[in-house]
Amino acid sequence: MAEDKQKKNLTVFGQETEFDGVLEFTDNLVITGKFKGEIRATGDLEIEKGAVCDVEKMTASSIVIAGSVFGDICAEERVEMCNGSVVHGDVKTARIRIAENVEFEGEVSMLEKEPEVNLFDVASEEYKNALLLKSDDPR
């Protein structure tokens, strides 16, 4: 399972990118700019610090939020809200992690089927370091 995720392509919506509409993807996506609309994905999604997503609904395999999300979130595997993130909307997922200093307003519904692997333990060291660097970034 971890091998499949490593083989997927990574697309980045840059800080200057503004997208309005419905976005569907199967690979992994990082949003650093502004998004408005709906996201339907089977890959992983990361909302970086400073990014703003105003969605009707956001669906992906796993979602890591360091920026702001306004709207409902559904992740089959996990949702992680990083330090300093803002989330206003209902969350539906198998696993959730909410760091300190998160502004969260909404309800959480847990999916019954949990993944067989502890996804929080299998994150690569490089990914963990990237998250630490983002939280220290003065932007």
Side-chain angles (χ1 to χ4, degrees):
M1 187 162 133
E3 289 179 18
D4 291 341
K5 289 189 180 205
Q6 291 174 354
K7 292 179 185 177
K8 290 187 174 185
N9 293 320
L10 175 65
T11 301
V12 178
F13 278 12
Q15 290 179 338
E16 303 299 319
T17 302
E18 292 188 26
F19 186 96
D20 189 348
V22 176
L23 178 63
E24 296 183 14
F25 63 93
T26 57
D27 286 333
N28 299 326
L29 176 68
V30 176
I31 297 176
T32 62
K34 294 180 181 173
F35 181 91
K36 182 176 182 177
E38 184 175 353
I39 296 175
R40 300 179 202 141
T42 56
D44 297 334
L45 175 61
E46 181 180 345
I47 311 302
E48 285 200 349
K49 189 173 185 176
V52 178
C53 294
D54 186 2
V55 296
E56 298 166 28
K57 187 172 185 180
M58 175 184 290
T59 305
S61 180
S62 70
I63 301 173
V64 176
I65 303 164
S68 301
V69 175
F70 302 94
D72 294 340
I73 298 169
C74 182
E76 182 181 317
E77 294 181 3
R78 72 181 174 112
V79 171
E80 184 169 353
M81 298 178 203
C82 301
N83 187 7
S85 62
V86 176
V87 178
H88 290 208
D90 295 340
V91 176
K92 188 173 192 176
T93 187
R95 294 181 182 206
I96 188 165
R97 176 180 284 174
I98 302 175
E100 293 182 26
N101 195 29
V102 171
E103 181 182 320
F104 174 59
E105 183 179 313
E107 295 182 10
V108 175
S109 301
M110 302 305 290
L111 297 173
E112 290 183 26
K113 180 183 175 194
E114 291 186 19
E116 295 176 13
V117 176
N118 184 344
L119 298 171
F120 294 109
D121 289 340
V122 297
S124 71
E125 195 61 38
E126 181 180 322
Y127 181 71
K128 289 177 186 177
N129 289 336
L131 287 177
L132 290 175
L133 292 175
K134 288 178 195 168
S135 65
D136 294 337
D137 193 351
R139 285 188 264 172

